[in-house]
Amino acid sequence: MKAVILLFPGINRERDMALAVRQSFGRDPAIVWHKETALPEGTDLVVIPGGFSFGDYLRCGAMAAQSPVMQAVKAHAARGGYVLGVCNGFQILTEAGILPGALLRNAGLRFLSMDTTLRVARTDTVFTNKWQEGAIFRAPMAHGDGNYTADPATLDRLEGENLVAFTYAGENRNGSARNIAGIFAPNLRVLGLMPHPENLVDPLMGGTDGKPLFDALAAA
Amino acid sequence: MSEINQALAKSFGLNAEEYDKVLAIMGRTPSLTELGIFSVMWSEHCSYKSSRIWLKELPTKAPWVIHGPGENAGVIDIGEGMAAIFKMESHNHPSFIEPYQGAATGVGGILRDVFTMGARPIANLNALRFGDPSLAVTRRVVDGVVRGIGGYGNCVGVPTVGGEVNFHPAYNGNPLVNAMTVGIARQDKIFLSAAAGIGNPVVYVGSKTGRDGIHGATMASTEFDAASEDKRPTVQVGDPFTEKLLIEACLELMQTDAIVAIQDMGAAGLTSSSVEMAGKGGVGIELNLDAVPQRETGMTAYEMMLSESQERMLLVIKPERSEAARKIIEKWDLDYAIIGYITDTGRIVVRHKGVVEADIPLDPLEKAAPLYRRPIAETPKPAPLGEVVCNMPLLEALEKLIGCPDLCSRRWIYDQYDSTVGGQTVKRPAQADAAIVRLEGTKRALAITTDCTPRYCVADAEMGGAQAVAETWRNITATGAKPLAITDNMNFGNPEKPEIMGQFASAIKGMAAACLALDYPVVSGNVSLYNETEGRPILPTPAIGGVGVLEDAAQAVGYALSPGLALVVIGETRGELGRSLYLREILGREEGAPPAMDLAAERRNGDFVRAQILGQAVAACHDVADGGLLVAVAEMALAGDAGVELTAEYGAKEWFGEDQARYVLAVRDAPAVLAAAAAQKIPAILIGVSVNQNKLTLPGAVAISLPQLREAHERFFPAWFA
């Protein structure tokens, strides 16, 4: 699996993501600047990390979704390529229309930075096959706009088609509809989620709860 | 336009004598722009005119110090060819007028001081003091400051990993917001601000210039009164997105050899950056303001020179590298403008629309800056506390203390700060006495903390100054790290009052003694004076930021207790209640002398504790500070969710006294640690054990459950903001 990490101005977790990818993949991911119009030859996985692309001005992810590289990402996803968007990356995927729904301000209107617990909804995907069915794992969250929302029909469809990837297992602090923390595209090859598995891949930093995600991708 | 005279100079903050000096230097009446330049460069904020003679008393040297005070930030050797670059700076006055933006731009400013030297910022901390929590205004200020720090720090992607918060009515109209940034650079890639190379272009990088923040440095050099609200336009507005671009653009540019000198435009903006760069380099500088990127139309030379618009840098670039440099800066969508060049005239010449708006000799502007040895009145030593009657049951007092605003959990605050971005945070807030951040790609880590105990300083500033330094040293030591150096942020009242200047001088004396005793020099700092509202000064607050190093991050210990360990107290417990939180919160008294400092014992005890930690003998360690021994033990129990059975037959004085130089160690082999201490004549005593029970028990089987203790500890902030 060849992974690349997209870099938009204002993204700030690209280093964290690169560390997690390097540890599981055994090699450094290429960093792709947002003004590129094509992905590097042979790209299997596009990773969009967290941060505040374009300052989160206008709406989180709205401007990044219009960057030149996103046309290539859309084509990549349409071809069945793998895409992982975390935090701001998830917001960008929804703004680009690659995933449904939107991320609103947190219910309490404050930034939330703490560990949360996520329940793995299904383990038959390239992202989640290193977890056990129903597994609960810890992941740090750090966002002001993580309140997932969509119209009821979309939410019903996500649940009905088993496209919810992760739900908040404990307190749903940001107010997300139906406790949704992350979702898949219908082909199960695009994943967006708010918490940061990449920040728990080293025992020294408090645990390796997030490592199965990267190990699973590396093995695909 | 106003006539240039002594009255106008006074309104700019220059007194009659200072204005006469301006006339003598210029040999004529200055222009408005020139008067503006003199007034900001000679403001207390920029010139340190009241504090300079005292700051010289501080130890600033050690073999590991690479750059001490005088640069944008201090630089120390942390091994493997790396340097830590750090500083703490205040944004007090703006944070009262406009809490969100005041605090946000405080974070932005200190970040720039650090990355301007070539360092990638890896940690932010903050030291905050607020007024009486029962006042509505305090709640508003706390909310704005916390949102501002988070809003800026979270966006730029630098983890906010630690800090401290105190409340006291003395800060009612004058909160303190002190922000600290630590960055990392290669020792051979450190950038300085001294301009050089006659004819080299002077380049402006970053945000456009607007009318915000004009005379901010002057505002920061006066007391507050009822009209301070009118000063809101002098508070700058921050744009953390642009700051993030500026960090990445500058660090990318620094990978090339294009930069001769670089400095951020902080207080007094274009004026101080250009004057200081040329002054340090012993050259002259000529600026053409027509080329300055402007956000507004019709700006005058005066306005551009004094604007404190944020997120701007001034660089001297090698001419043959200028186009390559432009490409890098413009890649990040930032303005790159050549606004002047370096000259050999020793003067700053400012042109605008074909007119010379300022032409000032740099040497006298800097060297003739006012320097005052202000009169000093020593604070009388406080009367002894005398007999204290402690009737409240010990555990009732503990529950009350651990829930008071000065001791309760800060979770509500740090939950709003991104503490993990960067992927190197080994110990997050409330896990260890100091934050631990690993250096990417190595095993090494930095231990970082901020501390000060103003209630000691107001009683005895010399003791308080020494204690602030020692407590940061202790906090770093308690993680196993070796403390290396400090940055200081001196927050005091009006220096023209002898009793305030006396506090300042005494605090410096105490700090200097502690720095010497602990081999722990000052490498950077900031002074904030005139922290008074309606004539009432704040508590003297010499906030200290300390940095230490661990060769192996895996050796760091936190203070979370696990069951099955023995609790050993290192250091002498004498039971001094003077100025303690117990005295204030339980007995309603702010009296007596603060606990005595014994710097030799501080050093001995700390060196012993660190050796025990690095020798793998210690599972958890917590210094004994605010609230005393029982509070320290309770904090350890709550952090680890482990019960405690205490066997020491102590009374309130011993459990709640704030005697210095003490640590609680949780160890597996108590006899070995006690024997090692005895061999070195270090006071050490076994006070109890940790157990697999949900309570804290005192001798006589009196107990409080951990959930009850936790509820008390966690209640204050969420209830305040519910």
Side-chain angles (χ1 to χ4, degrees), chain B residues 357-373:
Chain B
E357 294 281 356
D359 183 354
I360 304 174
L362 287 164
D363 204 43
L365 176 59
E366 192 196 340
K367 300 245 167 67
L371 178 61
Y372 298 124
R373 179 175 283 277

Side-chain angles (χ1 to χ4, degrees), chain B residues 37-184:
Chain B
I37 292 172
F38 273 102
S39 69
V40 293
M41 291 309 297
W42 289 4
S43 70
E44 189 69 56
H45 190 83
C46 291
S47 73
Y48 295 83
K49 57 192 169 191
S50 303
S51 59
R52 239 156 60 218
I53 58 161
W54 294 106
L55 296 173
K56 284 191 304 202
E57 307 289 319
L58 292 168
T60 58
K61 291 192 166 54
W64 52 88
V65 174
I66 298 173
H67 291 291
E71 287 301 333
N72 282 302
V75 184
I76 58 171
D77 180 349
I78 51 170
E80 296 184 36
M82 288 179 294
I85 302 186
F86 62 97
K87 187 180 175 182
M88 180 154 49
E89 197 166 74
S90 64
H91 235 213
N92 303 334
H93 295 80
S95 297
F96 181 65
I97 298 174
E98 173 55 55
Y100 185 98
Q101 291 298 344
T105 54
V107 175
I110 193 62
L111 280 164
R112 284 192 294 284
D113 275 334
V114 166
F115 73 74
T116 195
M117 297 193 74
R120 175 170 287 279
I122 63 161
N124 279 335
L125 293 89
N126 50 78
L128 311 176
R129 324 276 160 193
F130 299 110
D132 180 350
S134 69
L135 301 177
V137 62
T138 304
R139 186 177 178 277
R140 180 183 70 84
V141 171
V142 170
D143 189 38
V145 165
V146 170
R147 284 182 190 272
I149 289 171
Y152 208 99
N154 297 343
C155 183
V156 295
V158 177
T160 301
V161 294
E164 55 167 346
V165 184
N166 292 159
F167 294 91
H168 193 281
Y171 302 106
N172 274 351
N174 201 128
L176 303 184
V177 174
N178 297 170
M180 176 177 177
T181 294
V182 183
I184 297 298

Side-chain angles (χ1 to χ4, degrees), chain A residues 9 11-13 15-16 19 33 35 52 54-55 57 109-115 199 202 204-205, chain B residues 120 143 147 154-155 157 239 241 244-245 333 412 415-418 420-424 426 428 438 440:
Chain A
I11 287 292
N12 62 27
R13 264 185 163 82
R15 300 160 73 83
D16 317 36
L19 286 174
W33 184 237
K35 286 184 181 166
F52 289 69
F54 297 93
Y57 301 147
L109 303 182
R110 288 184 190 277
F111 194 89
L112 292 169
S113 169
M114 70 274 293
D115 281 355
N199 280 115
D202 182 342
L204 201 51
M205 307 303 148
Chain B
R120 175 170 287 279
D143 189 38
R147 284 182 190 272
N154 297 343
C155 183
D239 176 1
F241 171 56
K244 171 68 173 164
L245 301 182
D333 296 327
W412 179 88
D415 275 359
Q416 298 183 56
Y417 301 155
D418 188 343
T420 54
V421 61
Q424 304 297 327
V426 178
R428 302 187 205 171
R438 190 175 61 184
E440 193 180 321

Side-chain angles (χ1 to χ4, degrees), chain B residues 276-618:
Chain B
E276 285 172 17
M277 289 177 83
K280 276 185 188 162
V283 293
I285 190 166
E286 182 151 339
L287 299 178
N288 171 20
L289 298 185
D290 300 338
V292 169
Q294 292 159 54
R295 200 167 60 212
E296 300 173 54
T297 54
M299 288 188 72
T300 64
Y302 168 83
E303 289 168 331
M304 275 188 265
M305 290 305 289
L306 270 65
S307 163
E308 291 191 2
S309 290
Q310 298 290 291
E311 293 93 24
R312 301 179 301 162
M313 310 288 279
L314 199 63
L315 291 74
V316 178
I317 293 283
K318 293 177 186 166
E320 70 278 12
R321 294 278 183 273
S322 184
E323 279 317 297
R326 176 190 298 277
K327 280 205 180 72
I328 290 173
I329 299 300
E330 290 183 348
K331 170 190 157 189
W332 291 96
D333 296 327
L334 295 169
D335 274 307
Y336 180 100
I338 296 174
I339 63 164
Y341 52 92
I342 299 301
T343 66
D344 61 359
T345 61
R347 304 178 76 86
I348 176 168
V349 177
V350 178
R351 292 177 198 277
H352 187 220
K353 296 183 173 165
V355 177
V356 173
E357 294 281 356
D359 183 354
I360 304 174
L362 287 164
D363 204 43
L365 176 59
E366 192 196 340
K367 300 245 167 67
L371 178 61
Y372 298 124
R373 179 175 283 277
R374 299 204 187 268
I376 282 177
E378 292 221 13
T379 307
K381 293 286 175 198
L385 187 57
E387 208 37 49
V388 178
V389 182
C390 311
N391 286 328
M392 189 179 286
L394 291 170
L395 293 180
E396 190 183 328
L398 172 66
E399 189 180 354
K400 198 169 171 197
L401 267 179
I402 207 160
C404 79
D406 272 359
L407 279 178
C408 70
S409 165
R410 271 71 180 116
R411 186 184 307 279
W412 179 88
I413 295 176
Y414 63 72
D415 275 359
Q416 298 183 56
Y417 301 155
D418 188 343
S419 58
T420 54
V421 61
Q424 304 297 327
T425 308
V426 178
K427 297 287 182 199
R428 302 187 205 171
Q431 293 185 341
D433 281 346
I436 306 289
V437 181
R438 190 175 61 184
L439 309 179
E440 193 180 321
T442 76
K443 287 169 72 176
R444 276 173 191 262
L446 296 185
I448 316 163
T449 184
T450 68
D451 269 296
C452 182
T453 314
R455 65 196 145 87
Y456 296 164
C457 299
V458 72
D460 181 342
E462 184 178 343
M463 178 278 169
Q467 195 273 342
V469 172
E471 193 174 342
T472 65
W473 189 86
R474 215 180 291 151
N475 283 338
I476 291 168
T477 293
T479 67
K482 179 178 165 45
L484 292 177
I486 62 172
T487 179
D488 59 9
N489 201 147
M490 309 292 288
N491 307 274
F492 289 76
N494 180 348
E496 295 161 46
K497 295 179 182 170
E499 64 274 21
I500 299 291
M501 218 47 229
Q503 291 174 341
F504 191 91
S506 296
I508 292 276
K509 194 173 166 195
M511 288 164 58
C515 290
L516 280 177
L518 303 173
D519 246 341
Y520 193 41
V522 178
V523 296
S524 60
N526 168 247
V527 178
S528 172
L529 300 174
Y530 296 95
N531 287 291
E532 304 204 356
T533 300
E534 310 284 354
R536 288 185 310 275
I538 59 162
L539 303 184
T541 311
I544 306 296
V547 174
V549 70
L550 271 161
E551 287 182 15
D552 182 355
Q555 290 178 312
V557 300
Y559 59 73
L561 206 51
S562 50
L565 299 167
L567 299 178
V568 173
V569 174
I570 300 299
E572 195 185 347
T573 298
R574 292 185 298 268
E576 295 185 76
L577 281 181
R579 301 287 161 168
S580 66
L581 281 176
Y582 179 88
L583 193 68
R584 192 181 84 190
E585 297 292 324
I586 306 298
L587 302 175
R589 296 167 61 185
E590 295 183 57
E591 295 166 38
M597 289 300 297
D598 177 346
L599 291 167
E602 191 75 57
R603 178 73 188 251
R604 269 197 313 274
N605 298 355
D607 286 347
F608 174 79
V609 167
R610 195 178 316 105
Q612 291 296 312
I613 293 171
L614 296 180
Q616 316 274 309
V618 180

Side-chain angles (χ1 to χ4, degrees), chain A residues 146-176:
Chain A
N147 181 356
Y148 184 75
T149 192
D151 59 78
T154 303
L155 293 170
D156 288 345
R157 180 176 63 78
L158 287 171
E159 289 186 332
E161 296 176 11
N162 289 325
L163 297 179
V164 174
F166 305 108
T167 51
Y168 294 105
E171 193 182 347
N172 173 4
R173 292 169 184 267
N174 57 28
S176 287

